[in-house]
Amino acid sequence: MSRSILWLPIALVAAFELYAASLVLRPNVDAAYRAYYIDKTSDCWPHETAAAYTLGTTLSFVDSKPSLFFPNKICGWFYPNDKGTWSYGSYSLLRFKFAAVASPLRLTITAGAMVDAAQPVQRITVSANGEKLTDLSLTGAEPETKTVDIPASLAASGSIDLRFDYPDARSGRELGPNEDSHPRAIRMVSLALSAT
Amino acid sequence: MNETAAHIGPRRGFSLVAIPVVLAVAGALLRYLSYASVNAQPSPQGFVDAMCVWDCYWYGDIVTRGYQAYPETLNFGGPAGIANWAFFPLYPLLIAAIGKLVAASPAVLGSIVSPLLTLGAALASWPLFGGDRRPYFLFAALLLIGPFSFYFSILYSESLFLLLTVLAFVALGRRNYIAAGAVGALLAATRTVGVLFVFAILAEAAIELWRALPRLRSLLPDLLRRPDIVLGLLLVPLGVFAFMVWLHAVTGDALAFVHIQRAWDREIVNPVTGLWHAFTSPGGQTRDAPLLAAASLGGLVLCGVLAWRRQIPAAIFCTLCLVLALTNGVESMLRFVAALAPLGIVLCQLLAGWRWLFWLSFAVFVVLDFEWTIGWLHQQGALM
């Protein structure tokens, strides 16, 4: 049999492979997927969460501790470790659904920051339901506690989406060459929302 | 190189099959004993369940549910959404097909099918030893009762990758480019690095054409006069392209298997600096990084030995596989090195050079099989 007959399967295989390769240029995905996995313009992969929360509960961000924050996590958090959970990316989101109250709320967070002599401050902009509440500053790697008041108008809805923005976030590689390079700013240890 | 069982007398030919079979049975018993030594109430089902850790879950998930349409949006601890697209389809497809005939869980099927595939790899490797029985038996021991044999006896794709690598190099050694390409296509559908076999075919073809007419300018025209080589080269990527078409149909993203690496926090790194950092900075995300770096380096040294022995296609294939894997850091590198059949073969050829070293290696293999199976059961990071 002449070898030239092999050019037929060659043409067929090549045509199929060209077709398959062309699919790379035509992803048929939603915006969230494209931003997170393809373009990598987002570090927020939105997790579904029941978000159930009882006011006054202190959520832990430390691995293997009770009341871990997972039921309230949306995105922007790394894996918990025995010292807390690093923020991941330029912002983090948490969601809380609770029995509505008429009084203001107080947010209490305990967190350390990614700081050193060259960059001694990590600023955090705290927002709730899209409304900016305050700017915080953390200045030490060791955890410190900060409080933020949340107006009664937001507490009355019984649902709060908390957002922490990190304008000073730095590459995780600064913690060590084998660490994930995504930006980190704070290492959250605990968080609580309580009525005042 | 071309000696086969048919050429060496029935009794010796029998041992070429019988000894690997005995080693396979002994290896299975040894690993069960290893499990029983750390479990108060051992049972066969408990053994299968205990051995099914890490990626075993993912293969089981693909076998039972197929590929996901979208990454998980439920929180699993990390920042991303995970999906099973990183795991190539041929092995779970094989298990699912067998599962249609035999009612058993994917983990149970994997614990039966994988050792058989590994035994097949050991038996099929005979032509690669040039008629030298001692390294052949040592290689069979390495696979079936050696330090890494637990990888090849569970619901992991390593056993299939191993068998296909052996078959592909046997076909390539016979310069049957179409068969090598066809097996290469299966290899490319088994693991990400399988597609790199195309470079082994290219190297073998270049060697053949160069020996016929050693002129650089004539290589390409000569290649085009050999449609069998062209077809072999084109066949290899078919496995990964077919997977891409399937992923596009299921997820909308033909490169989903690449993009989902983000869910495992895999980032592209320079292999050299990745190795250096793993040696010098043991902290960080990857557990036992220095050990994994040492395994990577050992694998690369064996690639050098392959090249030194003029087994250029195998050297190129293994080097590229290791370097590509290292672009994601050193995680799982021990497993990746262990599954590269040419590295195991050349290691056994070195160790079988002296009778005493052969027996010492065999004893070490058996001891490590027992010990590392316990390590696997305890999910030691270096074995991941």
Side-chain angles (χ1 to χ4, degrees), chain A residues 22 36 63 69 73 91 119 163 166 168 177:
Chain A
S22 75
Y36 192 87
D63 192 23
F69 72 105
K73 169 185 159 187
Y91 65 93
Q119 195 171 340
R163 175 171 170 140
Y166 314 113
D168 305 319

Side-chain angles (χ1 to χ4, degrees), chain B:
Chain B
M1 189 74 185
N2 292 318
E3 187 178 6
T4 64
H7 297 119
I8 58 168
R11 191 186 293 174
R12 301 189 92 197
F14 174 74
S15 70
L16 293 178
V17 176
I19 289 177
V21 170
V22 169
L23 289 172
V25 174
L29 287 173
L30 185 68
R31 286 187 294 282
Y32 186 81
L33 278 176
S34 179
Y35 151 78
S37 73
V38 292
N39 276 275
Q41 292 179 312
S43 70
Q45 184 62 51
F47 176 54
V48 169
D49 292 341
M51 292 291 280
C52 186
V53 296
W54 288 318
D55 293 353
C56 179
Y57 158 77
W58 288 105
Y59 285 114
D61 185 56
I62 298 167
V63 170
T64 50
R65 296 196 309 161
Y67 285 104
Q68 291 168 243
Y70 200 69
E72 287 289 348
T73 49
L74 297 174
N75 170 52
F76 74 103
I82 48 176
N84 54 18
W85 313 322
F87 301 90
F88 273 42
L90 192 60
Y91 181 77
L93 210 58
L94 175 69
I95 298 293
I98 295 169
K100 299 276 184 204
L101 307 171
V102 184
S105 72
V108 169
L109 290 173
S111 68
I112 296 166
V113 173
S114 290
L116 292 175
L117 294 171
T118 310
L119 177 61
L123 296 172
S125 72
W126 170 242
L128 299 174
F129 288 91
D132 199 348
R133 293 158 58 87
R134 210 151 63 189
Y136 165 72
F137 288 135
L138 195 60
F139 181 60
L142 177 70
L143 299 186
L144 299 164
I145 194 168
F148 314 113
S149 58
F150 59 88
Y151 290 136
F152 308 134
S153 58
I154 53 174
L155 190 70
Y156 264 58
S157 65
E158 264 64 22
S159 55
L160 181 62
F161 187 79
L162 195 73
L163 172 63
L164 293 171
T165 307
V166 167
L167 292 175
F169 275 103
V170 168
L172 195 59
R174 292 172 180 154
R175 294 209 166 133
N176 185 340
Y177 293 103
I178 297 175
V183 180
L186 299 177
L187 205 53
T190 304
R191 275 185 48 199
T192 324
V193 294
V195 72
L196 297 172
F197 187 71
V198 76
F199 293 102
I201 296 185
L202 199 59
E204 185 65 41
I207 290 167
E208 183 185 350
L209 297 175
W210 182 262
R211 280 184 186 153
L213 188 62
R215 279 212 315 258
L216 202 58
R217 255 191 306 179
S218 70
L219 270 181
L220 189 60
D222 286 349
L223 184 67
L224 294 176
R225 277 191 283 275
R226 290 288 301 274
D228 59 324
I229 296 176
V230 176
L231 183 55
L233 288 169
L234 273 178
L235 279 173
V236 178
L238 198 57
V240 71
F241 278 126
F243 185 39
M244 287 166 61
V245 170
W246 182 254
L247 281 177
H248 192 270
V250 174
T251 73
D253 181 10
L255 289 179
F257 68 99
V258 176
H259 295 139
I260 201 62
Q261 296 296 332
R262 186 166 186 197
W264 277 267
D265 310 307
R266 297 263 165 88
E267 296 179 289
I268 302 294
V269 296
N270 179 329
V272 177
T273 51
L275 267 179
W276 176 252
H277 289 150
F279 270 125
T280 55
S281 306
Q285 284 172 253
T286 308
R287 290 184 284 167
D288 299 325
L291 281 174
L292 292 165
S296 314
L297 216 53
L300 290 169
V301 167
L302 288 173
C303 292
V305 176
L306 281 170
W308 176 62
R309 293 181 155 222
R310 296 185 186 280
Q311 295 176 36
I312 303 301
I316 289 174
F317 173 67
C318 293
T319 305
L320 291 176
C321 285
L322 293 180
V323 170
L324 184 67
L326 280 169
T327 58
N328 279 318
V330 296
E331 200 165 279
S332 302
M333 281 307 292
L334 185 66
R335 177 158 56 90
F336 296 156
V337 170
L340 285 171
L343 300 185
I345 289 172
V346 79
L347 174 69
C348 290
Q349 285 170 331
L350 294 173
L351 295 174
W354 293 271
R355 188 178 291 271
W356 66 269
L357 189 55
F358 168 86
W359 285 109
L360 179 64
S361 304
F362 181 78
V364 170
F365 286 177
V366 172
V367 171
L368 288 181
D369 187 14
F370 188 87
E371 288 298 323
W372 289 13
T373 298
I374 293 174
W376 178 255
L377 291 166
H378 291 159
Q379 301 187 32
Q380 284 183 3
L383 303 177
M384 186 193 285

Side-chain angles (χ1 to χ4, degrees), chain A residues 3 7 17 26-28 30 33 36-37 42-43 45 47-48 70 73 77 79 88 173 177-182, chain B residues 70 72-73 75 78-81 224 226-227 234 238 241 248 252-253 259 262 265 267 277 281 283-285:
Chain A
R3 274 181 171 171
W7 289 107
E17 291 180 350
R26 294 184 280 133
N28 180 23
D30 63 28
Y33 181 95
Y36 192 87
Y37 289 101
S42 167
D43 289 324
W45 179 253
H47 291 105
E48 286 175 15
F70 281 176
K73 169 185 159 187
W77 301 101
Y79 297 88
Y88 178 94
R173 286 274 157 78
N178 296 324
E179 294 287 350
D180 186 282
S181 67
H182 286 93
Chain B
Y70 200 69
E72 287 289 348
T73 49
N75 170 52
L224 294 176
R226 290 288 301 274
L234 273 178
L238 198 57
F241 278 126
H248 192 270
D253 181 10
H259 295 139
R262 186 166 186 197
D265 310 307
E267 296 179 289
H277 289 150
S281 306
Q285 284 172 253

Side-chain angles (χ1 to χ4, degrees), chain A residues 69 73 75-78 85-88 92-94 166 188, chain B residues 78-79:
Chain A
F69 72 105
K73 169 185 159 187
C75 72
W77 301 101
F78 211 69
T85 300
W86 281 108
S87 59
Y88 178 94
S92 306
L93 298 177
L94 294 167
Y166 314 113
M188 192 76 87

Side-chain angles (χ1 to χ4, degrees), chain A residues 11-67:
Chain A
L12 290 172
V13 171
F16 176 79
E17 291 180 350
L18 278 173
Y19 163 72
S22 75
L23 295 177
V24 172
L25 305 173
R26 294 184 280 133
N28 180 23
V29 295
D30 63 28
Y33 181 95
R34 179 185 279 278
Y36 192 87
Y37 289 101
I38 299 179
D39 301 337
K40 296 183 180 168
T41 49
S42 167
D43 289 324
C44 176
W45 179 253
H47 291 105
E48 286 175 15
T49 171
Y53 180 73
T54 303
L55 288 177
T57 306
T58 298
L59 296 178
S60 173
F61 287 67
V62 178
D63 192 23
S64 305
K65 286 281 168 70
S67 302

Side-chain angles (χ1 to χ4, degrees), chain A residues 83-164:
Chain A
K83 289 184 176 172
T85 300
W86 281 108
S87 59
Y88 178 94
S90 57
Y91 65 93
S92 306
L93 298 177
L94 294 167
R95 178 168 294 157
F96 301 90
K97 290 188 184 299
F98 50 88
V101 290
S103 62
L105 299 178
R106 173 157 294 165
L107 168 69
T108 306
I109 65 169
T110 301
M114 182 125 158
V115 290
D116 58 20
Q119 195 171 340
V121 179
Q122 280 286 346
R123 290 169 294 159
I124 310 161
T125 301
V126 183
S127 310
N129 295 354
E131 189 177 307
K132 180 179 170 182
L133 301 176
T134 189
D135 289 318
L136 299 175
S137 291
L138 292 177
T139 54
E142 290 305 309
E144 53 186 309
T145 298
K146 301 277 184 181
T147 57
V148 179
D149 289 331
I150 299 175
S153 56
L154 292 175
S157 68
S159 174
I160 285 186
D161 280 7
L162 267 185
R163 175 171 170 140
F164 302 96

